[in-house]
Amino acid sequence: MNTANIFVQQMVNGLSLGSIYALIALGYTMVYGIVKLINFAHGDILMVGAYTGYFVIRTVGANPVGLTLAFFCSMAICAVLAVCVEHFAYKPLRSAPRLNSLITAIAVSLVLQNGARVIPFIGPNPREFPTPATVNINFGIMSLSNIQLIVILLSIVLMIILNYIINYTKTGKAMRAVSYDMSAASLMGISVDRTIAFTFALGAALAGAGGVLYASAYPQIDPTMGTMPGLKAFVAAVLGGIGSVPGAMLGGYILGIAETLTKGFLSSQFADAISFSILIIILLVKPTGIMGEKVKLKV
């Protein structure tokens, strides 16, 4: 395979991986945009979604019905879990210093990871995620598997739905209002608590879907599986401009392509280093991210 073929193939692989990063990054950026919280437990929500999909597919089978049920069940379970976490862990600290919320987010992440390890039907041992038979579709200089096609198409559909919710629904207008000015939105009759809870649920639902897609693309799950994709999705959110929904999508795709190109032309051992180097560079060059905007604070 020549250099051009490798480049095109790795670009396709990058789009697939970047779609997953973008889905996860959207949860980070929406929560930060409203409550200015970096929810480091978000990657572990992905883990819960992957395990939910695992048990559904094991029960129903790795067929279209089983995969569809796995997506919907994972999104629903993750949304409910995120609302509970927000209500019991983050809401009491909403007026506290941000450092308190950040430490709490790390604590919630550890609770979810270690809680999964001690639950009898999950346990600490890795499990193979059931996936449908892989079918490769050749397009001359590149090939695309059926799983990659599902990942890319489903991610695009979910992002289009999210864009519609944010820009063309009453709830989306409330989310934008709370993000702009929480106090003024409350005075205008918007339920801030309900809007924040919905934002957490929406971001977690996308993470749940991302968990099933990630486990389908890399079919091995364990209680700590959400740590690395969660951190990389955070890098994607910062790269695109944390707080910006289009920026999170763009950052996810850029990071996914950068990672797969590194694996194709350098070494897979450098992939993680390149990802976090991008975070350092973007913080040095443009701290607000590609699509982020500078915010002036009055003192």
Side-chain angles (χ1 to χ4, degrees):
M1 185 179 289
N2 58 38
T3 302
N5 289 359
I6 295 174
F7 177 79
V8 173
Q9 185 61 55
Q10 293 302 330
M11 287 291 290
V12 173
N13 296 339
L15 288 176
S16 176
L17 181 59
S19 298
I20 299 173
Y21 287 158
L23 281 181
I24 309 170
L26 287 169
Y28 278 110
T29 205
M30 286 192 298
V31 168
Y32 181 83
I34 288 186
V35 293
K36 300 297 182 287
L37 166 68
I38 304 298
N39 183 18
F40 280 119
H42 195 62
D44 300 288
I45 299 290
L46 175 145
M47 177 268 296
V48 173
Y51 270 100
T52 302
Y54 169 82
F55 289 115
V56 171
I57 294 175
R58 280 288 301 271
T59 303
V60 181
N63 51 55
V65 175
L67 291 173
T68 303
L69 284 175
F71 280 114
F72 282 110
C73 290
S74 296
M75 294 173 74
I77 294 294
C78 289
V80 172
L81 175 62
V83 171
C84 293
V85 169
E86 191 278 329
H87 182 77
F88 292 106
Y90 300 145
K91 184 178 178 181
L93 299 173
R94 199 171 292 164
S95 58
R98 292 182 189 175
L99 182 61
N100 295 19
S101 299
L102 181 64
I103 294 171
T104 302
I106 296 172
V108 171
S109 173
L110 294 174
V111 167
L112 291 175
Q113 285 184 21
N114 291 283
R117 290 169 65 90
V118 300
I119 293 176
F121 58 85
I122 295 180
N125 297 324
R127 303 190 183 201
E128 184 179 354
F129 192 86
T131 58
T134 302
V135 179
N136 289 316
I137 308 169
N138 293 315
F139 295 96
I141 62 173
M142 70 175 189
S143 65
L144 183 69
S145 71
N146 55 334
I147 294 177
Q148 288 179 318
L149 186 62
I150 292 172
V151 168
I152 294 172
L153 293 180
L154 187 59
S155 299
I156 291 173
V157 169
L158 289 174
M159 284 186 257
I160 290 173
I161 293 173
L162 174 67
N163 184 69
Y164 176 81
I165 291 174
I166 291 176
N167 293 300
Y168 300 102
T169 66
K170 188 176 180 180
T171 303
K173 186 180 292 185
M175 290 170 60
R176 287 182 281 129
V178 172
S179 176
Y180 187 76
D181 192 322
M182 189 179 296
S183 300
S186 179
L187 293 173
M188 294 296 103
I190 295 173
S191 175
V192 173
D193 290 341
R194 190 180 304 168
T195 303
I196 292 174
F198 178 80
T199 303
F200 270 86
L202 188 58
L206 294 177
V212 176
L213 293 176
Y214 188 83
S216 299
Y218 304 93
Q220 180 173 292
I221 59 174
D222 64 80
T224 61
M225 63 170 289
T227 302
M228 190 55 70
L231 287 174
K232 289 182 179 178
F234 171 67
V235 173
V238 174
L239 173 61
I242 194 160
S244 169
V245 171
M249 299 179 191
L250 178 62
Y253 283 113
I254 291 175
L255 188 65
I257 291 172
E259 186 172 327
T260 55
L261 288 177
T262 301
K263 291 177 180 178
F265 290 99
L266 295 176
S267 170
S268 59
Q269 296 178 346
F270 294 127
D272 293 344
I274 291 295
S275 298
F276 295 113
S277 296
I278 290 174
L279 173 62
I280 296 172
I281 293 170
I282 197 68
L283 290 175
L284 291 173
V285 176
K286 197 174 189 297
T288 57
I290 296 173
M291 302 186 70
E293 297 179 358
K294 291 184 179 180
V295 178
K296 294 182 181 180
L297 298 176
K298 294 181 180 180
V299 295

